[in-house]
Amino acid sequence: MAQDVDVTVSDNTAESRFEVFLDGRLGGFAEYALEPGRVTFTHTEVAVEGKGLGSRLVRQALLSARERSLAVVPQCPFVRDYLDKHPELAER
């Protein structure tokens, strides 16, 4: 991604998804189902592939789950693959 592009990730709890924004415009999301003690990531979409947008989105979502002591259930193949590549973000 270009250095001058503002990328932010936020948890839209009303929609049960993490969202990534590029310069204030929605660039993708990671949907989840929240249950006591765990979060299941069900689907991830990004507007632009191959630029690291999905990785930034999922990394922030996983860090949030860890901060909240939630077990992660990676139903979504993208989240599952990301965890395989970044085992340091798997639950402890």
Side-chain angles (χ1 to χ4, degrees), residues 2-33:
Q3 294 281 335
D4 58 344
V5 175
D6 181 37
V7 178
T8 58
V9 177
S10 62
D11 184 2
N12 181 341
T13 57
E15 296 289 328
S16 297
R17 67 188 197 176
F18 281 85
E19 298 173 334
V20 63
F21 292 87
L22 297 167
D23 288 331
R25 300 181 77 178
L26 184 64
F29 57 85
E31 296 176 334
Y32 62 82

Side-chain angles (χ1 to χ4, degrees), residues 14 22 28 41 43 57 63 67 72 74 90:
L22 297 167
F41 289 98
H43 181 69
L57 170 64
L63 287 172
E67 288 171 6
V72 172

Side-chain angles (χ1 to χ4, degrees), residues 2-3 7 16 19-20 31-33 41 45 48 53 62-63 67-68 75-76 78-83 86 89:
Q3 294 281 335
V7 178
S16 297
E19 298 173 334
V20 63
E31 296 176 334
Y32 62 82
F41 289 98
E45 282 188 30
V48 181
L53 199 57
L62 293 171
L63 287 172
E67 288 171 6
R68 296 165 60 192
Q75 270 185 359
C76 170
F78 186 86
V79 175
R80 189 170 40 249
D81 290 347
Y82 189 86
L83 279 171
H86 302 277
L89 292 175

